Amino acid sequence: MQFTYLGRTGLSVSRLCLGTMNFGPLTSEADAHAIMDAAHEFGINFFDTANAYGLRSAGVSGLGEGRGATESIIGRWFAQGGGRRERTVLATKVYSPMGEWPNEGKLSALNIRRALDASLARLQTDYIDLYQFHHVDRATPWDEIWQAIDVAITAGKILYVGSSNFAGWHIAQAQAAAAQHGLVGLVSEQPIYNLITREVELEVLPAARHYGVGILPWSPLQSGLLGGVLRKQREGLRRLEGRAAHTLEAKRPQIEAYEDFAAELGHEPGDVALAWLLHQPAVTAPIVGPRTRQHLDDAVGALDVRLDEKALTRLDEIFPGYRAAPEHFAW
């Protein structure tokens, strides 16, 4: 396994982060525990979850018990001992509503306090390594947010703070407010980022690099569209619906060219997509969210893929990206 530092911190994390969103709704607890054991065997020490994970999506027949179920699955895995908690850099999130009463969501000081304690109880641990704001809260002032975080850090309940789905100016705003409180501020940002969805290159990535914030891309395969979807459709192994099906039809020529190029390189399309992210200078670790052990095995193969400048240029030709603002649209 390859390791790097999380943003500007001295915290060493694996170049792949294990995403757990499927644990509960789509992956049974026994299988989830086996996947986490396998992740440690591969050397993956960085796990990502959220307090809201575990709720079944509408129309999906799954196994989840509701919000919080995924954290509980991880907590019962930690409780087995054997160094599981000690070897894991644990990241979870706060923001999504956990109930229908006021103050059961977002980033008020009250919700941060209650949600953090609830996550600690479900995860069966006394601290969170990386506590992430799942979304920007436009109603709560940053002074209130950072004061609540300062209390939690002082109490030893969290070590580092990150964000998810922030705009570039949100990162700048958060860092300015944190500096006023004498805090380190954000050390990571978790955006959607992959070969198809590259808008964060405009302002989020430049802001992250400026402030020393590590990027943890979610949906690195764009809901499977970069994982060899056309070949799997031909083989009868994959059927898409909804937004993914619409995106596939809109970008079919590009995806066809991409799968052909991956074959030319001699690699699986999913490995190329992950390897491309690992070649981006702002990226700390893509988040891979396996439903099965085989999915995890497949993802680890990306670490052995090396893309030279010619290959990176070709991928940019297939899926054009963005230059940093304002040069992308002005001088």
Side-chain angles (χ1 to χ4, degrees):
M1 180 53 58
Q2 303 162 16
F3 294 86
T4 189
Y5 292 113
L6 178 61
R8 66 191 184 283
T9 75
L11 181 67
S12 293
V13 295
S14 49
R15 291 304 313 274
L16 292 179
C17 178
L18 179 70
T20 62
M21 189 169 66
N22 290 320
F23 295 177
L26 298 176
T27 304
S28 71
E29 180 162 340
D31 287 343
H33 286 188
I35 288 170
M36 288 187 282
D37 281 334
H40 273 184
E41 291 171 7
F42 281 124
I44 296 173
N45 75 332
F46 195 13
F47 291 12
D48 175 75
T49 191
N51 61 346
Y53 289 172
L55 187 68
R56 292 188 295 271
S57 300
V60 174
S61 176
L63 305 167
E65 300 171 356
R67 296 182 186 275
T70 301
E71 285 188 334
S72 295
I73 289 171
I74 297 170
R76 289 188 286 271
W77 181 72
F78 284 150
Q80 296 177 30
R84 286 174 169 82
R85 176 65 185 98
E86 293 78 8
R87 295 201 303 267
T88 302
V89 175
L90 174 64
T92 193
K93 307 184 194 75
V94 59
Y95 179 88
S96 298
M98 297 297 287
E100 297 182 359
W101 278 79
N103 303 309
E104 291 191 289
K106 298 192 176 181
L107 301 179
S108 70
L110 178 59
N111 185 55
I112 286 175
R113 175 174 177 167
R114 289 175 173 173
L116 175 57
D117 285 346
S119 285
L120 291 170
R122 286 189 293 267
L123 289 162
Q124 301 193 45
T125 187
D126 56 2
Y127 73 100
I128 305 296
D129 296 282
L130 178 63
Y131 201 49
Q132 302 164 105
F133 308 131
H134 211 161
H135 196 280
V136 65
D137 184 349
R138 297 179 176 88
T140 305
W142 276 109
D143 284 344
E144 177 182 346
I145 294 169
W146 285 124
Q147 184 179 46
I149 292 298
D150 192 14
V151 170
I153 291 173
T154 302
K157 294 182 179 181
I158 61 175
L159 301 181
Y160 302 94
V161 181
S163 59
S164 181
N165 304 305
F166 274 32
W169 75 273
H170 294 141
I171 294 174
Q173 189 181 45
Q175 300 304 69
Q180 291 178 341
H181 287 265
L183 298 174
V184 172
L186 303 176
V187 302
S188 65
E189 158 60 19
Q190 191 178 133
I192 182 170
Y193 185 34
N194 55 60
L195 275 164
I196 292 175
T197 302
R198 298 179 59 169
E199 285 82 359
V200 292
E201 294 172 349
L202 281 166
E203 298 196 24
V204 174
L205 299 194
R209 296 185 70 180
H210 175 78
Y211 289 106
V213 172
I215 294 294
L216 310 174
W218 60 268
S219 195
L221 301 187
Q222 188 68 37
S223 299
L225 295 182
L226 294 168
V229 64
L230 296 178
R231 184 190 67 197
K232 291 176 182 177
Q233 282 189 332
R234 290 193 297 269
E235 296 173 353
L237 300 176
R238 186 72 188 269
R239 184 169 63 89
L240 295 177
E241 297 177 349
R243 183 182 300 178
H246 176 76
T247 302
L248 175 60
E249 290 312 307
K251 297 187 177 294
R252 180 176 289 272
Q254 290 171 278
I255 293 174
E256 286 178 348
Y258 169 70
E259 292 192 12
D260 289 344
F261 182 58
E264 182 181 325
L265 292 174
H267 297 296
E268 291 294 319
D271 289 348
V272 174
L274 288 172
W276 178 83
L277 282 170
L278 292 168
H279 281 72
Q280 304 311 303
V283 171
T284 296
I287 298 171
V288 296
R291 294 192 306 274
T292 67
R293 166 64 192 269
Q294 185 60 52
H295 291 161
L296 177 63
D297 293 349
D298 293 342
V300 172
L303 295 169
D304 297 323
V305 177
R306 298 290 179 268
L307 301 175
D308 59 22
E309 288 301 318
K310 183 178 179 181
L312 293 170
T313 298
R314 177 59 182 144
L315 290 170
D316 283 337
E317 291 171 350
I318 297 172
F319 296 112
Y322 298 83
R323 290 185 294 161
E327 285 80 5
H328 184 83
F329 46 75
W331 58 274

